[in-house]
Amino acid sequence: AQTVTQSQPEMSVQEAETVTLSCTYDTSESDYYLFWYKQPPSRQMILVIRQEAYKQQNATENRFSVNFQKAAKSFSLKISDSQLGDAAMYFCAYRSKGSGGSNYKLTFGKGTLLTVNP
Amino acid sequence: NAGVMQNPRHLVRRRGQEARLRCSPVKGHSHVYWYRQLPEEGLKFMVYLQKENIIDESGMPKERFSAEFPKEGPSILRIQQVVRGDSAAYFCASSPGQLSLNYGYTFGSGTRLTVV
């Protein structure tokens, strides 16, 4: 079974600075998807960024980018020019891509609570 | 263009009562997924339903929990005889079909169940 580990329960960053959230995972599969979700106090789960394992290029969405190291099974999220609205719980998630089995399930880490200081 | 709608947003039940959580998927979506988030944990898969069918309920406790997604109306997650350990946030997500899973699915804002 796949597992996702987020080793930083809490992180803080100054407004306009850069912060990196860590995520590692364990899988025996070669092709899969990885996601970062943001959960603000409203509880809404918001997709921030996604990565396909077979793509070498790291995904980027505006101020959000990932550092995907497939061999190390690491998928960190970098937030540049942090804004007060970035304060939230961030979850890393894994999804299998296989044609059979439970490729619709997301496996989540326990989350990292990000505080943005003005 | 409404997203996934869950109600109620907050639900308080006494031990032994029943809890019914509703989920209306995005219009046109025929696949629904329920996840549970225990305090200080990530979301965990419970059940996957298509219209009138349960596809995978491997993450749902065998007793007291049931889910349905009828031909008409919202998906319902039902918890009978609730206990304190059922206190959690319950999230629903939907997708139009398998192909859309390439990009994740759309989550609702969850129902926070508190058992007193």
Side-chain angles (χ1 to χ4, degrees):
Chain A
Q2 293 82 20
T3 59
V4 177
T5 302
Q6 292 178 252
S7 59
Q8 306 152 318
E10 297 183 26
M11 291 282 284
S12 64
V13 63
Q14 291 295 127
E15 197 174 2
E17 298 291 309
T18 295
V19 64
T20 298
L21 307 185
S22 301
C23 172
T24 58
Y25 57 94
D26 188 26
T27 184
S28 59
E29 299 175 331
S30 60
D31 201 9
Y32 44 86
Y33 299 103
L34 295 164
F35 304 88
W36 278 98
Y37 280 89
K38 171 184 177 182
Q39 186 181 47
S42 67
R43 269 204 325 258
Q44 179 77 45
M45 292 291 286
I46 302 166
L47 178 63
V48 174
I49 200 165
R50 57 189 171 243
Q51 174 83 39
E52 296 184 66
Y54 75 91
K55 289 187 175 178
Q56 301 279 352
Q57 189 173 4
N58 289 325
T60 299
E61 291 284 344
N62 301 313
R63 298 182 295 106
F64 298 87
S65 61
V66 298
N67 183 4
F68 174 47
Q69 301 289 327
K70 189 173 183 180
K73 296 180 182 175
S74 171
F75 183 61
S76 60
L77 175 70
K78 185 171 84 171
I79 306 173
S80 304
D81 185 25
S82 296
Q83 300 175 1
L84 295 177
D86 295 333
M89 183 72 85
Y90 286 82
F91 290 99
C92 179
Y94 172 103
R95 189 169 73 78
S96 173
K97 199 179 179 184
S99 56
S102 52
N103 59 358
Y104 41 79
K105 292 182 188 177
L106 283 171
T107 301
F108 286 87
K110 290 190 175 184
T112 296
L113 180 63
L114 179 66
T115 303
V116 181
N117 300 311
Chain B
N1 193 13
V4 177
M5 305 301 293
Q6 290 189 248
N7 65 81
R9 185 154 174 76
H10 302 277
L11 182 62
V12 179
R13 285 287 178 265
R14 296 187 182 280
R15 280 178 294 171
Q17 290 185 319
E18 177 179 287
R20 291 172 70 88
L21 288 61
R22 295 177 195 78
C23 168
S24 296
V26 173
K27 188 175 181 181
H29 285 193
S30 58
H31 298 235
V32 165
Y33 317 81
W34 285 92
Y35 283 76
R36 177 166 67 174
Q37 183 180 27
L38 294 169
E40 312 210 350
E41 297 278 330
L43 281 68
K44 287 189 173 11
F45 171 82
M46 297 183 73
V47 61
Y48 165 32
L49 309 106
Q50 294 177 22
K51 285 283 188 181
E52 300 183 279
N53 285 305
I54 297 175
I55 307 302
D56 181 354
E57 56 182 351
S58 60
M60 201 156 65
K62 295 285 186 285
E63 297 180 358
R64 302 186 299 108
F65 285 71
S66 63
E68 63 176 9
F69 188 20
K71 187 177 180 181
E72 301 291 337
S75 175
I76 304 289
L77 179 66
R78 182 183 178 205
I79 312 172
Q80 295 178 291
Q81 299 174 342
V82 296
V83 301
R84 289 233 171 99
D86 298 332
S87 295
Y90 292 82
F91 288 87
C92 174
S94 74
S95 69
Q98 288 283 331
L99 289 176
S100 70
L101 293 182
N102 289 343
Y103 301 101
Y105 29 60
T106 305
F107 278 96
S109 295
T111 293
R112 181 171 297 283
L113 172 66
T114 302
V115 179
V116 297

